[in-house]
Amino acid sequence: MKKLFLIPSMILCVITAYAGNPDSVFVKGYATGKNDNKNGLHIAYSFDGNNWTSIGNEFSFLRSDYGRWGSSKKMFDPVLIKLNDKWACYFFTEAEHKVVGVTYSEDLVLWKPQDYFSYEEVKAKYTAVFKAFVMGTHSYKVPWSFAQSLIDHTELQTYKNAQSDVTAKSFAEKNPGLKPVNVSLSVNMNAKKQISNNLIGVFFEDLNYAADGGLYAELVQNRDFEYSPKDRKEWNSSSQWKSSKGLVKIDSIAPVNKNNPHYATIENGEVLVNNGFDGIAVAAGEKYTISLFARSANKSSLSVVLTDSNGNKLSNEIMLAVNTNNWKQYAAVFTANSSFKYARLSVTAKKYATAVDLVSLFPAKTFKNRKNGLRNDLAQAIADIKPRFMRFPGGCLAHGNGLDNIYRWKNSIGKLEERKPDFNLWGYHQTMGLGYYEYFQFCEDIGAEPLPVLAAGVPCQNSSHNQHTGIAGQQGGIPLNEMDSYIQDILDLVEWANGDKTTTWGKVRAAAGHPQPFNLKYIGIGNEDLISEVFKERFAMIYKAIKTKYPAITVIGTVGPFYEGSDYSFGWDFASSLGVPMVDEHYYVPPGWMIDNQDFYDKYDRQKPKVYLGEYAAHVKGRPNNMETALTEALYLCNVERNGDVVSMTSYAPLLAKEGRTQWNPDMIYFNNSEIKPTTGYEVQKMFGNNSGDEYIESTVSIDNNNTDVQQRIARSVVRDTKTGELFIKLVNLLPVAATIDFKNIVFSDYTTARTILQGNPDDKNVKAVTTQNDVQSNQLVLPAYSFTVLQMKHP
Ligand code: AHR
């Protein structure tokens, strides 16, 4: 597939260009300050120490990993220092020269995870090196072959980037006269291998308002009056509420629960209004359940009603008699009398001042009618993929912005008033209403294995600050003397999920309404973490504890956010040395990369940990989810199926994104309060999820066009479900012309065949797959330009 044959000739050119060079050369590191100081370390060489040539035309050999994406990740005044057996790079992380980043490499290409120190610390601890550092730019003599290896590296990267940059448009422009192709496909039913039957899952992260305001069906925003400036600096307890008296009165003297310290007091005659999450969408005739906690020193009552912005009633008005000064929960059901996208909930105190908290409004119809349940349309769209598993609650959300923000599963279970809300590092608030119980219940409802991801004892490396050092961006870990208790929490999770109802945590699950175990099989530890010593020490402790107590649980480790580089390489080494059964790979890449790397997993060592491709997507400029990206993902997944013996699980980019509230693209399903908008990428996931097998059948193709760029835009995969005997043939045509497939040894009249096609132009969005029954009778099938076809074949 790959055209690496080009590389040796490029290298040869370079060698020829420097023929006659001396045996050694000077090298030095430097930065330019371009791109807001985010281009990192460049390296130059010189034969005489005076005239310097930049290697790879300002190629970035190393970038700062310090601080948050966007505002940080800057490098100032880097200095390369040669130590005995390796190189060090010291640099400043901001112009003020307060924090120093340090990292090491043997070859100046693969760098160890970065550490950060205050300038004062560096001065005190690293005297010899510090001297070299403060001396600033200086150079070292190295063998020419070393400089050559750096040049080769940049050449290879430039070549790979050019391959990745090829788009459907640029390919079509480069091949204007391309003729339709003919493909001969031979399926060898006797050559087969077992593959994972868990290949297609989903990744749910609470970002883009995926939980509160999204899948979680709660319609009231800031129902618990716990919004705070930690969520967003302009927010406080009364945010999203309006009072007819101007100011919403917030109290915290005797709350419903210590975990929910704030509540509102409504004066007699005062009206509190909540707009929901950008409006409350109600449908005529539908029922809605209002519930709230209230108390009043006198016998009071509350009137609750849905209205439009002019106060016109959209539902019946309900009176709740509040007859005690102790917190008590009240509930009633409304029926909406008309459909409206921007309804609001009004709560009025009649007679006396009344305190309220956890003011909640749910549609009566939730997914599977679960209490505290999920939005039906979104949940159903997820279920329709037939995902074999669901990873949750993140992503970055799982390990949080700083130690205090690590997602603690115990804070997310129990009665709603006992759950502990927290800020969401994506810039909003987590009520924890959609908590571990609801995630597990949802997984069970859709037949997916739950795959909770817990922090590896370290927060996100992009955290804004480190509690221990006070230095931003450093991946500080949970103090070692607190690790036992952190690990116990993880072991408790397994007991909560799998223990019988007599166990301490099994009893908690049973009390919540699920006496039967959830049968948890997988736990993810970590998310894209730096493979630092801090991480490794804590991960190993957690891994060993789970393995000892629950050997049947598959622990999934983490190998960084890219398909190569430091975290990928060191993460794989570390996981392999520990014997971790599976690792979680992530990569968001241009379509050209996927097309050019269809053999990525062919090269994987089958003896090493299995792969969970936990986050991936093809993305083009602007990151829309369109036919080009969807077809590329289909093409790549055909190759993943072929490697289903080493890739055990996959899940696409984040599942959900609310329109106007999206922090990350691409995502699989966009939505607003009343509509859902599954993407073309969703269609591909659904086609794979609904047509998967546990046996991969070998096939060969020959194409009547010798151009490898053409050939690699046709992909196929044949799998069989050994339980049902169904055969699934997947065919991708990413060419701008049709491809006629001639099936060599499949007799279509032996089968009943359903055909599902996704077809459109590369820029098209929202294309839907179409299924027809029994229209494939002959052994020839035309794949339209830019299409993905699945044949579902059954012996009658
Ligand atoms: O999917 C969005 C983010 O991308 C996830 O939080 C993180 O794991 C990845 O970098």
Side-chain angles (χ1 to χ4, degrees), residues 438-511:
E438 291 74 23
Y439 283 124
F440 273 72
Q441 182 64 72
F442 179 51
C443 287
E444 187 174 86
D445 284 344
I446 62 173
E449 302 287 353
L451 166 45
V453 178
L454 294 107
V458 289
C460 180
Q461 66 272 25
N462 305 312
S463 293
S464 49
H465 73 289
N466 174 311
Q467 280 90 338
H468 301 303
T469 61
I471 293 178
Q474 187 179 1
Q475 189 175 50
I478 291 178
L480 287 175
N481 62 4
E482 290 172 27
M483 276 303 289
D484 281 352
S485 122
Y486 182 72
I487 291 170
Q488 189 56 50
D489 274 0
I490 298 179
L491 299 176
D492 291 345
L493 171 63
V494 184
E495 185 175 289
W496 176 83
N498 292 354
D500 72 44
K501 56 186 188 202
T502 60
T503 59
T504 311
W505 285 97
K507 205 182 286 169
V508 176
R509 180 199 66 239

Side-chain angles (χ1 to χ4, degrees), residues 69 203 205 207 391 394-399 425-426 462 527-528 561 586 588 615 653-654 664 666-667:
W69 291 106
F203 161 47
E205 173 158 16
L207 88 161
R391 171 179 179 236
C396 296
L397 182 99
H399 54 180
L425 84 176
W426 293 104
N462 305 312
N527 174 64
E528 299 186 353
H586 295 177
Y588 295 88
E615 286 182 48
W664 178 274
D667 304 288

Side-chain angles (χ1 to χ4, degrees), residues 656-718:
L656 302 180
K658 190 163 197 175
E659 286 179 337
R661 301 279 169 198
T662 298
Q663 295 92 30
W664 178 274
N665 287 296
D667 304 288
M668 211 203 289
I669 303 171
Y670 291 80
F671 64 94
N672 55 39
N673 285 341
S674 48
E675 288 163 291
I676 62 164
K677 303 181 176 177
T679 58
T680 42
Y682 168 86
E683 296 293 305
V684 166
Q685 294 296 321
K686 196 165 133 192
M687 286 164 80
F688 271 86
N690 281 262
N691 300 291
S692 61
D694 52 352
E695 206 170 68
Y696 183 81
I697 317 265
E698 296 294 333
S699 58
T700 50
V701 289
S702 82
I703 302 178
D704 68 347
N705 186 318
N706 290 332
N707 181 344
T708 46
D709 290 339
V710 171
Q711 295 188 349
Q712 63 182 358
R713 281 169 171 74
I714 301 278
R716 88 285 175 187
S717 167
V718 184

